[in-house]
Amino acid sequence: VLVLKLSALGDTFLLLPCLKALKQAVGPQGRGEFLCTSVNEAALQGVPWVDAVHRLSPSDLLLRPGKAWRLIRSLRARQFHLALDMDQWLRITPLLALACATQRRAGFRSSGQHRHHLYHASVRQSAESHESKQFAALLKKAGCSVAVEDYGGFVARHGLYGAKPWRKLAKKQALFHAGCGGKGWQREWPLQRWAQLAQGLKADGFEVRLSGAGAREAGMNREIIERSAG
């Protein structure tokens, strides 16, 4: 089975329970492989249910088509029985699924697109259901009979990325991560609301800490500290 997901690092983390179920479904003699890009490749590091990771550079499709075609041809030669397109919006992934797997293809039926016409099975993409539930629904629609675990606690439960289960602390703590990365600023909550939440939690006996990456998020954290009076 080939899983296709070229974007969304966070969504790739949400796919982890599906990858485990998929590996269990294909059995020890089967293989579950993944086609990704540099955007989400890091989420697949050390995941025990992925037998191979193939990285596609989107720029190759336009600037170095020969290189991209060699990758696609090598994937097609692996004779995948199923291509699972876990991208909801990209229009290139149904074409890649078609190029890489001729037997069966499954993916999302997204509003305003016609991508699902290239699939043998599809699930309607919906804003009313959590992404992890939609991924599990597509896996089931594609024929996987293994139950998919809930995402909550999954990473710590399986010791992925060095995570450990929560332990009971003597003092209540809250960790804020206000930034959404360099390209996710549209989803960020106003800093004044973070400051108000920090004040409310502190009044309830919480110790509030801040997390971030890079100069931009460090600046955001300084502003939260100032607006919340420390």
Side-chain angles (χ1 to χ4, degrees), residues 12-226:
T12 308
F13 283 118
L14 294 177
L15 267 175
L16 294 174
C18 288
L19 297 179
K20 181 186 178 187
L22 182 63
K23 182 59 178 175
Q24 290 175 323
V26 301
Q29 302 304 317
R31 289 180 64 83
E33 305 190 11
F34 206 108
L35 180 63
C36 66
T37 66
S38 59
V39 171
N40 60 336
E41 185 180 22
L44 303 169
Q45 299 296 325
V47 175
W49 312 292
V50 178
D51 294 302
V53 175
H54 309 279
R55 186 171 78 174
L56 172 70
S57 296
S59 60
D60 287 348
L61 295 170
L62 294 174
L63 303 178
R64 293 171 290 274
K67 182 179 179 181
W69 174 243
R70 285 193 294 274
L71 172 61
I72 293 170
R73 190 170 58 185
S74 69
L75 291 173
R76 189 178 183 87
R78 300 175 84 82
Q79 299 182 330
F80 293 105
H81 293 88
L82 171 67
L84 268 174
D85 182 3
M86 291 296 190
D87 266 311
Q88 302 95 319
W89 304 108
L90 295 182
R91 288 193 168 117
I92 189 64
T93 46
L95 297 173
L96 290 171
L98 176 63
C100 295
T102 58
Q103 295 193 30
R104 280 187 62 79
R105 297 174 298 279
F108 286 102
R109 195 166 61 251
S110 301
S111 177
Q113 298 191 13
H114 303 282
R115 61 202 316 278
H116 62 282
H117 293 302
L118 292 180
Y119 305 136
H120 298 94
S122 62
V123 168
R124 184 176 68 88
Q125 193 279 334
S126 172
E128 300 173 2
S129 175
H130 193 269
E131 302 284 14
S132 62
K133 300 297 184 183
Q134 294 185 59
F135 293 148
L138 179 57
L139 192 62
K140 183 178 180 179
K141 186 78 172 182
C144 179
S145 59
V146 177
V148 177
E149 296 180 32
D150 288 336
Y151 183 75
F154 184 88
V155 171
R157 194 159 58 245
H158 295 283
L160 299 175
Y161 319 113
K164 298 178 181 178
W166 288 98
R167 64 184 188 277
K168 191 171 181 62
L169 300 172
K171 187 172 185 178
K172 294 187 292 185
Q173 295 182 343
L175 179 67
F176 287 3
H177 191 102
C180 286
K183 298 181 180 179
W185 58 267
Q186 303 96 327
R187 301 194 299 271
E188 289 174 349
W189 211 30
L191 298 183
Q192 181 58 34
R193 296 188 184 179
W194 283 110
Q196 292 170 348
L197 178 59
Q199 290 177 320
L201 287 172
K202 187 174 181 180
D204 287 338
F206 278 81
E207 178 184 88
V208 179
R209 299 188 178 192
L210 304 178
S211 169
R216 178 176 175 275
E217 293 184 2
M220 294 170 66
N221 287 344
R222 285 193 294 272
E223 188 169 343
I224 292 171
I225 293 171
E226 292 171 2

